Structure formats: structure tokens, C-alpha cells
Amino acid sequence: MLLTYSILAESVKIRLHQKKISLLDYDESLEFIGEGRSAYVFRIRSTNKAIKVFFPDHVDIAREEAEIYEMLRGISYYPTLYESGRNYLVIDYIEGLTLFECLVQGIPITSDNIKEIDQALLLAKQKGLNPSDIHLRNIFITSEKEIKVIDVARFRQTKKCRQWNDLKSAFYRVYLKRFFPKKIPVSILNFIAALYKRKLIPM
Ligand SMILES: Nc1ncnc2c1ncn2[C@@H]1O[C@H](COP(=O)(O)OP(=O)(O)O)[C@@H](O)[C@H]1O
Ligand SMILES: [Mg+2]
């Protein structure tokens, strides 16, 4: 590799202006693959690695998430951590679709997938962690049909997170029903997520 990970992370120019985040520039060996509420994520071209570069007001999460990936090291359901720095992590690039993308594209999610996710979370619990922030954009079904869970930054929080239990119950009570559409537009999914966040969906 020509550039070090820390130089690649530095090439990512992020602007934070009046609480709005924008991505200004990044090295051409990076391919933009996603963003969340705390970071931009890139694939490092011609490698199987991804670099997660945290927003300027979220850099503190980098160390916390790195420590948690260390605790999960060796569990195949989680990406391996290769390096971390002040504002970035380098982990396995995951080839596949998030559960969110599966719903949008109409790719079926099976009860076996759900059981495997449960197993992934159980293994994290056995390491003393409290899996939190488990939602559709943080879980992948890979092209080999394996489950991968990312974005583990909140796994050490003490507060109980109900999201996964709620998702699971929606899966069995609604998604699996024959009448329920298996392909759902992004706008509807975002609408349901917004209602859920406001506690407007009876669970
Ligand atoms: N290792 C990875 N491989 C492939 N895509 C990824 C990877 N990590 C993150 N992504 C994509 O980037 C998005 C944001 O990453 P995430 O770690 O969840 O950031 P945040 O902490 O801001 O939510 C994910 O929802 C996913 O679509
Ligand atoms: Mg996320």
C-alpha cells in the first residue's frame, strides 16, 4: 500500500457548519460507501478494507469503538479491526447489503438470518458487552449469506436498548405475514423509523 491509513484518513475533508455536515474531499484511492450519524465510510480501493472517518464533533467515538472491536476480535459476525487513530478505524470491508437495503431491494430476510443475528449479539454479551443501536443499517447479509454486525460504538452503554427486540417482534408479527410486502420504498422505511423514534408505534 502506498499511503498509510492515517494519511488516507487525513485526506478526508469534512466541513461542520451550523451543525450541518458535508464531505468536501477525499483521496482517489477511497470509494465512498456510506454515512451514518457519526462518520463517513469508504472502501480502500483494491483492498477488502474499509475506513470509517468520524465527523469532527464525533471523533471521541473512534477510540471507544476501536476498544469494543478489540473485545469482539475473533467473532466472525463482526469485522476485524486493523488499525485505529484519533478520528478513524480500519475494518473489513463487507461485501453485501444491509437489512435496510434488503428491504428496499425486496431481498428476503429469513428467520435463519434473525437467529444468526441473535447469536452474534449473544456472543457479544458473553464478552460482557450490551449490544445497542442494533438497527437495519448496522446489520449486513453478505454475498455469502453470512451475517455481519457493524457500528459497535454503543455496545458498552449501560442503558437497555430495545431496538433489536422490537425489530425482531416486527419481523415475526408483520414481515413474515403473507400479505406483507417484501419490497418497501426508502421513503416508507424512513417514515416508519421516524414514527418508531417518536414512540408512535405500539409494540
Ligand atoms: N465495513 C463496512 N463495509 C461496508 N459498508 C460499511 C462498512 N461500515 C459501514 N458501512 C456503511 O456505512 C454506513 C455507516 O457506517 P456506520 O459504522 O454505521 O456509521 P455511524 O456510526 O455513523 O452510524 C453503514 O450503514 C453501511 O451502509
Ligand atoms: Mg450506523
Side-chain angles (χ1 to χ4, degrees):
M1 209 183 64
L2 294 172
L3 297 175
T4 64
Y5 296 137
S6 96
I7 289 175
L8 283 179
E10 275 170 38
S11 79
V12 178
K13 303 290 182 231
I14 302 173
R15 181 174 126 112
L16 171 63
H17 182 64
Q18 290 173 345
K19 291 191 176 168
K20 275 198 91 84
I21 281 286
S22 45
L23 177 57
L24 303 178
D25 194 23
Y26 49 89
D27 191 83
E28 56 192 22
S29 55
L30 298 180
E31 178 195 352
F32 177 78
I33 51 172
E35 78 174 280
R37 268 176 296 168
S38 67
Y40 289 118
V41 183
F42 306 84
R43 179 179 188 168
I44 305 172
R45 286 187 203 278
S46 51
T47 75
N48 288 322
K49 296 193 173 68
I51 185 164
K52 176 172 182 177
V53 182
F54 289 83
F55 301 156
D57 54 343
H58 285 74
V59 289
D60 295 348
I61 302 173
R63 176 196 279 252
E64 173 70 5
E65 192 165 7
E67 286 179 11
I68 296 169
Y69 273 129
E70 281 304 343
M71 296 175 71
L72 295 167
R73 186 175 290 283
I75 304 177
S76 66
Y77 294 118
Y78 299 90
T80 299
L81 174 75
Y82 296 97
E83 190 177 298
S84 64
R86 185 188 63 86
N87 65 336
Y88 71 91
L89 305 178
V90 178
I91 57 176
D92 286 317
Y93 166 72
I94 300 164
E95 186 95 57
L97 298 175
T98 63
L99 294 190
F100 189 92
E101 291 163 333
C102 289
L103 289 177
V104 172
Q105 296 186 23
I107 295 174
I109 299 166
T110 64
S111 10
D112 279 352
N113 293 147
I114 301 297
K115 284 181 199 137
E116 246 192 286
I117 298 165
D118 265 336
Q119 178 64 15
L121 303 181
L122 179 70
L123 292 173
K125 283 182 198 149
Q126 289 172 354
K127 298 277 178 189
L129 293 164
N130 173 30
S132 311
D133 201 25
I134 307 297
H135 58 72
L136 301 176
R137 287 186 168 93
N138 287 342
I139 305 168
F140 279 81
I141 301 178
T142 71
S143 31
E144 259 94 60
K145 304 276 172 256
E146 294 158 347
I147 292 294
K148 296 274 180 189
V149 179
I150 59 159
D151 197 358
V152 298
R154 301 212 203 134
F155 276 31
R156 282 205 288 209
Q157 78 173 28
T158 44
K159 207 174 88 197
K160 189 168 164 38
C161 174
R162 296 182 47 89
Q163 271 189 108
W164 174 244
N165 274 342
D166 290 342
L167 273 175
K168 227 174 19 180
S169 102
F171 175 81
Y172 289 111
R173 281 168 35 202
V174 186
Y175 178 88
L176 280 189
K177 293 280 183 314
R178 207 158 23 92
F179 63 79
F180 188 77
K182 300 296 176 276
K183 186 170 170 177
I184 310 167
V186 172
S187 54
I188 307 256
L189 282 176
N190 285 333
F191 179 66
I192 296 172
L195 290 180
Y196 175 78
K197 237 177 119 179
R198 288 173 182 73
K199 302 200 180 347
L200 293 173
I201 300 181
M203 295 300 305

